[in-house]
Amino acid sequence: MERQSTYTATATIDEQGVLTGWSEGARRLLGYEAAAVVGRPAAALLATADRAAVQHTLAGRDRWHGVVALLHQDGRPLEQGLLAHRRTRRAGESDWLVVTAVADRPQPPRGEPLEEWTFIQSPFPLAIFDTELRLMRANRRLERALSLPEAAMRGLRLTHIAPGPARDEAERTMRQVLETGEPREVQAVLGPDLDRPTVLTPLKDGTGAVRAVCLATHRHDPDPAARQRAPDEAAARDPIAPGLERTARELADAAVPRLADFTAVDLFDSPRGPGGPEEATGTRPLVLRRAAVRAESDNGGPPAGPGVGGTVAYEPGTPPAESLATGRSALHDTSDPVISGWAAVDPGAAWLSTSGTHSLIVVPLLAEGSTLGVALFGRDRRTEPFGPEDLRLAEELTARAATGLHNERRYSRTHITTMAVQRSLLPHTLPEQAALDIAGRYLPAATRAGVGGDWFDVIPLSGARVALVVGDVVGHGTRASATMGRLRTAVRTLADVDLPADELLTHLDDLVLRLAADEGSADPAADAAGGIGTTCLYAVYDPVSRRCTLARAGHPPPAVVTPDGAVRFLDVPAGPPLGLGGLPFEALETELPEGSLLALYTDGLLEARDHDIDEALDQLFDALGRPAPTLDAVCDRVLTELLSHRPDDDVALLVARTRALHTDRVASWELPSDPTVVGRARKYASDQLSAWRLEEAVFTTELVVSELVTNAIRYGRPPIRLRLIHQESTLICEVYDASGSTPHMRRARIYDEGGRGLLLVAQLSERWGTRHDRVGKTVWAEQSLAAG
């Protein structure tokens, strides 16, 4: 089989028709560099004169495919087949992903006629992928299921044919098939009608070398009644949790054909208490949900009844209801009156006679005093009925599965609780501020260990500065999330008093030691829950000076991309993880040009299991260094290129692009320590606000300046500096003096001549406070210009 030389070209287009992404394959196809086309109308790349007609074709669609005349950089038209998917993000924004596979050589020749007919006319959807996981062949059933012709899919990977969250698992399984030469089974992800188990089979040549992978899906067509069911009713059905469905399917697979010809496993939506459900002895039917079904019948499906996820209702007095009520198993011959009575009151049990079933075992699923559901085992192909040994084996298999189902439910509840706790502790929206453009992502781990304690935060500080925080608590589960919440709150509290970065980490280190001591330092689990071993990176950016101060406690260093595209790590002193005690933290201060990109992350981003750390760093630098229209696009690109699957550890990513407050927005004056200078300070402020066209804020600002300068002269030490900072919607007034004493607001009595200055400042400002420097302090007050 001749190997194709194929590459994929991709581009993304927003709803306004502007190109927002351009891959290396697209450059190779049309010759344009990304910088030359990103941000420009996509229609400019069409060779056809009627570009509006092409845009009209996409209106109201979620997917489109066809042949388009594209315009090469050298001016020649290029006919190319394209496949376009509309993607909608959580924020409601949408764009188009356009892909095409470009083959340098023709497709390999077709096979022998009989083999060709078998492939094309198979009742099951079939596809063949080459060793690069690109589609080579697709039969007619797959074309109908996906509503795509083979020509539109040929040369593309599953990622581009059927975008979706489960595609990574399918492609990873394909790679395993190529490497091991053994067939594997995976849940299909190709479309709504292809959600059944899919078999991936290696295709080998005469020497035994794997040359391709065949994908075969058992498509399940719903019954006519289900086909006519209203869409909203189908959407209202709660699906079986993946872990529960997997465990139930393992029970069915273990029983068929070893014990029975068919098995069905039905579960309650929530476990029932000891003694079985009370409804079983009443007049209402018991409603369960089918979690698994397996049969050896000729049509490859169950004798009858709903498929996986469908509901099953058992009337009181029927064998399943009796087993659920008593908690005991039962063995029946279908000629028993109880079986015929069941078929008489429940039309859904008619399959007992029509399918030829002659022997039936009903076993309740019991675990730790709870009733989880019921399992049915039947024989319709084997002539011998079930016996006592078969009943005992069915009970053993069911008991083992019930334990797994109970543990899975308990894990699911714990996982949901942990996720709820963590979501409540992470920032729901990033605060408004003018110093940085910011985007962030949090991706929980895919392991059963539970959600971890990774977090990020953005904290506005005085003087238009902003603090960025990324941290990683050791361990997983609810305790790790709770510890993360305590540390995040502590960081916010310490940031509010404007502690320097290294001092903040020192205080946080002391807090972790106290938390660990409170929870019992002798227990290693308690140590982890108390936060020992937590890593943290704290950065403060000042848009006036364009300087960034950073300190880290055992955390990976941040990456920075300068406006010229150079990517590097900032050499921030590492520092020990939190909770070790007694070791110092050091800060790095560096200047960041306006437009620099700062990336903070947790180590889960670089520890993916399918590549080493050096490869991960190269991919990170490459993803950050390429231009992108938005910071959200940067986040998505980093996660997409570094993570080929859900990570084994949580990932937090925070990216920020620096802004600058230029000299026309900042004014400062050196003031002598003389009471007569207060009037001059008011005049400076009044003139500057007039220059900024903020005349309506002059009266309030003069009062604030007067009080702060008077306090600095009366209680502080020279030098004294006054600074005004004008942001888009705020005006900040700062007065610095060399004294380290902190001013306090107090209640003045009726006849007191002083004591009302800071009270007046607090009433006139949105917020105010004191920021201590290495020498001296700054008292600041922030006004809202919108309110003024």
Side-chain angles (χ1 to χ4, degrees):
M1 183 179 295
E2 184 181 3
R3 179 168 175 164
Q4 289 180 267
S5 175
T6 304
Y7 63 90
T8 303
T10 65
T12 54
I13 306 172
D14 66 17
E15 289 292 358
Q16 286 70 45
V18 176
L19 278 162
T20 57
W22 191 255
S23 72
E24 172 62 22
R27 184 206 62 78
R28 184 174 170 186
L29 174 65
L30 296 181
Y32 300 98
E33 297 292 340
V37 294
V38 172
R40 298 185 178 183
L45 299 181
L46 300 178
T48 175
D50 192 6
R51 294 166 178 169
V54 176
Q55 294 177 335
H56 177 73
T57 303
L58 299 179
R61 298 193 179 197
D62 289 329
R63 188 177 66 185
W64 177 87
H65 64 88
V67 178
V68 176
L70 302 175
L71 189 64
H72 195 275
Q73 185 187 29
D74 59 15
R76 59 186 170 90
L78 183 64
E79 296 279 343
Q80 188 68 31
L82 302 180
L83 175 60
H85 301 275
R86 184 193 295 273
R87 306 181 302 180
T88 302
R89 306 187 184 279
R90 292 182 180 177
E93 299 176 352
S94 60
D95 65 355
W96 285 88
L97 170 66
V98 183
V99 300
T100 184
V102 186
D104 293 341
R105 302 172 187 169
Q107 187 180 0
R110 304 281 184 171
E112 296 297 325
L114 184 59
E115 298 171 351
E116 186 70 14
W117 297 337
T118 302
F119 180 88
I120 293 176
Q121 301 175 27
S122 170
F124 303 112
L126 298 174
I128 297 176
F129 293 83
D130 63 17
T131 54
E132 295 180 354
L133 303 185
R134 299 179 183 275
L135 186 135
M136 302 169 61
R137 299 294 311 279
N139 70 348
R140 292 170 182 170
R141 179 58 66 90
L142 184 66
E143 289 178 316
R144 289 198 297 270
L146 296 179
S147 301
L148 283 173
E150 181 189 77
M153 298 183 285
R154 188 181 304 129
L156 296 178
R157 297 176 63 166
L158 188 60
T159 307
H160 295 132
I161 295 172
R167 64 183 182 271
D168 296 330
E169 179 184 356
E171 286 207 347
R172 185 173 65 252
T173 306
M174 283 190 197
R175 291 191 187 95
Q176 294 173 353
V177 172
L178 289 172
E179 294 169 358
T180 64
E182 299 293 332
R184 299 289 176 93
E185 185 175 291
V186 67
Q187 194 71 14
V189 295
L190 297 184
D193 292 337
L194 300 177
D195 58 351
R196 298 301 176 197
T198 296
V199 177
L200 300 171
T201 306
L203 302 181
K204 305 177 181 179
D205 60 15
T207 66
V210 179
R211 298 294 187 180
V213 176
C214 177
L215 179 151
T217 298
H218 297 281
R219 184 179 182 184
H220 177 74
D221 292 322
D223 59 276
R227 198 177 295 118
Q228 298 171 3
R229 185 181 292 116
D232 55 346
E233 178 187 344
R237 296 199 307 267
D238 293 329
I240 296 292
L244 298 177
E245 183 177 340
R246 181 179 60 253
T247 305
R249 189 169 64 245
E250 290 172 353
L251 168 59
D253 292 342
V256 178
R258 175 185 176 190
L259 170 67
D261 293 331
F262 74 87
T263 298
V265 182
D266 303 325
L267 300 177
F268 288 112
D269 287 339
S270 60
R272 308 301 173 95
E278 296 178 0
E279 302 98 309
T281 58
T283 58
R284 293 184 301 170
L286 291 174
V287 179
L288 297 88
R289 200 173 299 278
R290 182 136 293 173
V293 63
R294 174 74 186 273
E296 282 289 290
S297 52
D298 293 335
N299 60 7
V308 173
T311 56
V312 184
Y314 292 124
E315 296 289 340
T318 60
E322 286 295 320
S323 287
L324 288 169
T326 62
R328 293 193 295 271
S329 307
L331 192 158
H332 299 279
D333 188 288
T334 54
S335 62
D336 294 344
V338 67
I339 299 297
S340 58
W342 178 16
V345 300
D346 183 3
W351 57 268
L352 288 167
S353 57
T354 59
S355 66
T357 301
H358 60 84
S359 190
L360 182 71
I361 291 177
V362 183
V363 184
L365 290 156
L366 309 174
E368 297 190 16
S370 298
T371 303
L372 308 178
V374 65
L376 308 179
F377 305 89
R379 284 185 176 176
D380 59 350
R381 303 184 70 185
R382 279 177 278 193
T383 56
E384 67 275 13
F386 288 120
E389 289 297 324
D390 298 318
L391 177 60
R392 189 176 300 110
L393 177 57
E395 290 175 337
E396 290 178 359
L397 294 175
T398 304
R400 194 178 309 147
T403 300
L405 290 168
H406 178 75
N407 292 337
E408 186 64 40
R409 283 191 185 276
R410 183 168 56 188
Y411 161 74
S412 297
R413 288 194 299 270
T414 302
H415 185 74
I416 291 171
T417 301
T418 304
M419 287 291 293
V421 170
Q422 188 166 52
R423 286 196 184 105
S424 68
L425 296 174
L426 288 171
H428 295 273
T429 57
L430 298 177
E432 293 185 4
Q433 41 76 40
L436 298 165
D437 290 322
I438 297 176
R441 294 289 186 273
Y442 173 76
L443 188 62
T447 64
R448 294 183 61 89
V451 180
D454 291 20
W455 89 93
F456 63 84
D457 209 348
V458 179
I459 309 171
L461 303 176
S462 64
R465 299 168 305 133
V466 177
L468 303 178
V469 190
V470 173
D472 184 359
V473 175
V474 174
H476 294 81
T478 305
R479 297 181 72 182
S481 293
T483 301
M484 176 269 287
R486 297 163 90 175
L487 295 180
R488 176 173 178 255
T489 302
V491 171
R492 280 187 158 263
T493 303
L494 295 171
D496 275 346
V497 298
D498 271 310
L499 285 179
D502 51 346
E503 291 186 22
L504 183 142
L505 291 183
T506 300
H507 284 276
L508 201 61
D509 185 52
D510 294 337
L511 173 64
V512 169
L513 286 172
R514 289 196 298 272
L515 290 177
D518 290 343
E519 298 187 12
S521 59
D523 181 2
D527 282 349
I532 289 181
T534 296
T535 65
C536 183
L537 172 64
Y538 184 78
V540 176
Y541 174 69
D542 185 345
V544 177
S545 65
R546 303 184 192 116
R547 300 193 71 79
C548 185
T549 304
L550 309 97
R552 61 186 178 116
H555 202 82
V560 64
V561 185
T562 53
D564 61 3
V567 187
R568 61 186 173 89
F569 281 127
L570 291 178
D571 190 18
V572 184
L578 299 176
L580 301 186
L583 299 175
F585 298 96
E586 298 180 51
L588 169 73
E589 184 173 334
T590 183
E591 184 172 345
L592 297 178
E594 183 178 6
S596 297
L597 184 70
L598 193 63
L600 288 67
Y601 52 90
T602 55
D603 57 8
L605 182 66
L606 303 178
E607 294 180 353
R609 58 177 176 264
D610 55 353
H611 53 57
D612 58 30
I613 187 67
D614 291 333
E615 181 183 354
L617 293 176
D618 291 340
Q619 290 177 332
L620 176 62
F621 276 29
D622 179 66
L624 292 174
R626 300 204 306 272
T630 64
L631 293 185
D632 284 318
V634 173
C635 290
D636 293 340
R637 178 196 295 162
V638 169
L639 295 180
T640 300
E641 297 194 5
L642 269 75
L643 304 175
S644 60
H645 48 74
R646 284 286 297 277
D648 296 330
D649 192 9
D650 292 19
V651 173
L653 173 65
L654 189 65
V655 295
R657 193 179 304 280
T658 61
R659 298 176 181 174
L661 280 175
H662 298 282
T663 54
D664 60 340
R665 291 299 185 100
V666 181
S668 60
W669 302 270
E670 293 280 344
L671 302 176
S673 184
D674 184 346
T676 61
V677 82
V678 176
R680 195 190 316 165
R682 288 197 298 267
K683 183 69 167 57
Y684 290 154
S686 175
D687 291 346
Q688 185 61 56
L689 265 57
S690 297
W692 285 338
R693 298 190 177 184
L694 300 176
E695 288 84 358
E696 67 276 7
V698 168
F699 178 74
T700 300
T701 305
E702 283 185 337
L703 290 176
V704 172
V705 168
S706 180
E707 295 300 333
L708 296 185
V709 172
T710 298
N711 280 349
I713 294 173
R714 182 175 297 176
Y715 304 109
R717 293 200 305 265
I720 297 173
R721 287 191 294 269
L722 168 64
R723 184 169 75 161
L724 297 179
I725 301 174
H726 175 209
Q727 295 180 281
E728 294 179 359
S729 59
T730 60
L731 178 67
I732 302 170
C733 174
E734 297 183 341
V735 175
Y736 168 85
D737 73 85
S739 170
S741 60
T742 302
H744 296 283
M745 188 167 54
R746 62 186 178 89
R747 186 182 299 277
R749 293 184 292 272
I750 295 176
Y751 298 107
D752 287 350
E753 295 182 1
R756 298 178 179 85
L758 289 181
L759 180 62
L760 181 63
V761 170
Q763 295 297 317
L764 295 174
S765 305
E766 287 289 315
R767 60 190 188 119
W768 74 281
T770 303
R771 177 174 72 247
H772 287 272
D773 300 319
R774 299 293 182 185
V775 177
K777 66 179 182 299
T778 300
V779 183
W780 55 271
E782 183 176 303
Q783 304 174 54
S784 172
L785 296 179

